[in-house]
Amino acid sequence: MPNILVVDDQEVVRYGTTLILQKSIDDAQVSEAGSFEDTLKILSTKKFDLVILDIDMPGGNNHQMLDVIRLRHPDIRILIFSSYDEQIFGWRYLEAGADGFLSKKTGIEEIKNAAKTLLRDEKYLSPTLKQTLLNNFTNKKTATNPIQRLSSRENNIMQLLIKGSSVAEIADKLSLQISTVSTYKKRIFEKLQVSNVIEMIEKVQLYS
Amino acid sequence: MPNILVVDDQEVVRYGTTLILQKSIDDAQVSEAGSFEDTLKILSTKKFDLVILDIDMPGGNNHQMLDVIRLRHPDIRILIFSSYDEQIFGWRYLEAGADGFLSKKTGIEEIKNAAKTLLRDEKYLSPTLKQTLLNNFTNKKTATNPIQRLSSRENNIMQLLIKGSSVAEIADKLSLQISTVSTYKKRIFEKLQVSNVIEMIEKVQLYS
DNA sequence: GTAATATGTAGTAGTTTTACTACAAGAATA
DNA sequence: TATTCTTGTAGTAAAACTACTACATATTAC
């Protein structure tokens, strides 16, 4: 009788996910939480086997949520369920301690699949992620996605740009010359093939 | 036997919505579409009473989708189901020909409610929207949200900024001086109390 | 029905950002 | 290993953007 917690701030999504799980996993006991506070509260009431965690929630500091849950409940399986692109963010979350990453654009079958896999205590990788991994082994360059092309400094600066920081602010924060940050920005734009921050953000997010 | 079409690019959301409708509306015949192309295709196969339309779909040019459906199927009821803030976008869509606007953050009850209302051939306004309307009648200034404070020109320019257009591009497109567009931009930022496009977009969207 | 405020528009001067160039150190590759 | 590509860093000139000011016409408020 697996205990599963579905965390999402949209009730429709919770509803749909819950039903999918109940229908496909025998005796599944599914609980729901609509906020991070609720999540922690519910997690402390009984032992859960799996949390399906929407990381797009407002006020949910993404990684931090993951960390907190991991810290308090080391044995729980965590499946990130996100509208961010799996190729871009998937393995970051896996590195950060998640046991699986599922894009919200995936179909119902894949959700079932992922949940079952995690309940069997295996890690879950979507077909796409598996493919990406493979590609990374074989022809490193070719099939990898543009965001992974960014160097860590570039990535760093991209994050700040996404927050809305100006070139000058970033230069200040990182103690670099404005021209340096500007160069990074240009390189980021080149690599992602965008021409302004908005396109950059769009490239990084999925508008599912 | 009402025919309902649920349009959303996320299968979970369609699944949840479909089940909610089937359980709460007698004999409801619910179909699903995951893209705008599919939507049009399915709409042409039989007569539908209600379309529940997710306007966050990629490739769905928001208003344009609404217009196209309205044009081809003048009698159909359209319920916009969006993760954009209803206070900000709700009445715009209503003006544009939608029969109801529902935020994705609303609960299941409200979805049932909205669908039933529209099937009775009434317009649907969420409680929040009703309240906003009331406020607009009574103390116009006070309770209204900042985006509604924008003049139509400002709003116009905001839309272009959201698309990622530069000040110069906008000036060109609208045959205005760059300085003029710049002034609009500054006024928009002031009214919304933001200091860059990213914050502006965040102000306008709900990160549901 | 006048005073106050909002809106559409623009100029000028000053800031910020970009484009282009450059170069050294590190990584990858042939 | 020599050669090419990548990354971290910056300068300079040009382009884009902002701040401040201005002003006429609407709109709103008292």
Side-chain angles (χ1 to χ4, degrees), chain B:
Chain B
M1 198 188 76
N3 274 312
I4 307 177
L5 177 61
V6 174
V7 182
D8 199 301
D9 63 323
Q10 292 182 196
E11 201 183 346
V12 215
V13 175
R14 294 202 301 268
Y15 184 77
T17 313
T18 300
L19 284 175
I20 292 168
L21 294 172
Q22 284 172 340
K23 288 200 179 165
S24 61
I25 297 171
D26 291 338
D27 298 320
Q29 286 294 110
V30 186
S31 310
E32 299 183 13
S35 70
F36 193 45
E37 289 64 42
D38 283 358
T39 306
L40 293 181
K41 210 177 294 170
I42 295 175
L43 280 180
S44 64
T45 60
K46 62 175 172 179
K47 194 179 173 319
F48 279 88
D49 302 287
L50 171 61
V51 188
I52 297 182
L53 184 64
D54 168 28
I55 52 156
D56 310 321
M57 286 197 306
N61 205 322
N62 298 356
H63 269 229
Q64 214 188 315
M65 273 170 59
L66 188 57
D67 293 343
V68 172
I69 297 179
R70 236 322 68 97
L71 189 68
R72 302 198 186 180
H73 309 275
D75 294 333
I76 212 163
R77 304 274 125 187
I78 302 175
L79 175 62
I80 302 288
F81 189 38
S82 164
S83 61
Y84 290 92
D85 191 292
E86 58 180 16
Q87 288 201 59
I88 294 170
F89 286 99
W91 65 284
R92 295 229 166 114
Y93 277 98
L94 295 176
E95 282 180 334
D99 300 291
F101 186 100
L102 198 61
S103 163
K104 278 196 178 173
K105 69 170 192 290
T106 45
I108 290 178
E109 282 312 311
E110 207 53 36
I111 297 176
K112 292 180 185 171
N113 202 338
K116 284 181 180 170
T117 308
L118 285 197
L119 285 174
R120 278 199 309 272
D121 254 12
E122 296 168 22
K123 301 278 173 190
Y124 171 80
L125 280 183
S126 73
T128 326
L129 273 185
K130 275 185 192 153
Q131 193 54 50
T132 308
L133 262 194
L134 265 183
N135 281 341
N136 278 349
F137 265 114
T138 51
N139 56 337
K140 263 194 138 99
K141 295 277 130 150
T142 326
T144 329
N145 88 58
I147 280 96
Q148 286 174 24
R149 281 272 86 70
L150 298 183
S151 73
S152 66
R153 207 83 226 252
E154 285 163 352
N155 193 69
N156 196 211
I157 280 157
M158 182 184 71
Q159 301 298 339
L160 295 169
L161 288 171
I162 287 177
K163 277 194 202 157
S165 311
S166 71
V167 170
E169 282 165 2
I170 296 174
D172 194 48
K173 181 163 198 167
L174 303 181
S175 306
L176 291 173
Q177 287 313 112
I178 286 179
S179 53
T180 307
V181 176
S182 181
T183 305
Y184 283 130
K185 187 173 179 182
K186 199 192 55 159
R187 286 184 185 162
I188 293 167
F189 280 16
E190 273 167 15
K191 288 191 183 176
L192 304 189
Q193 298 184 73
V194 297
S195 54
N196 56 249
V197 243
I198 294 174
E199 287 177 13
M200 181 184 75
I201 291 175
E202 284 174 354
K203 200 96 192 186
V204 162
Q205 289 179 347
L206 256 199
Y207 342 112
S208 72

Side-chain angles (χ1 to χ4, degrees), chain A residues 151 153 180 183-184 187 191:
Chain A
S151 73
R153 206 86 227 253
T180 307
T183 305
Y184 283 130
R187 286 185 185 161
K191 288 189 181 176

Side-chain angles (χ1 to χ4, degrees), chain A residues 104-122:
Chain A
K104 279 198 180 171
K105 69 169 192 289
T106 45
I108 290 177
E109 283 313 312
E110 208 51 38
I111 297 176
K112 292 179 187 171
N113 203 338
K116 283 181 180 171
T117 308
L118 285 197
L119 285 174
R120 278 198 309 271
D121 254 12
E122 296 168 22

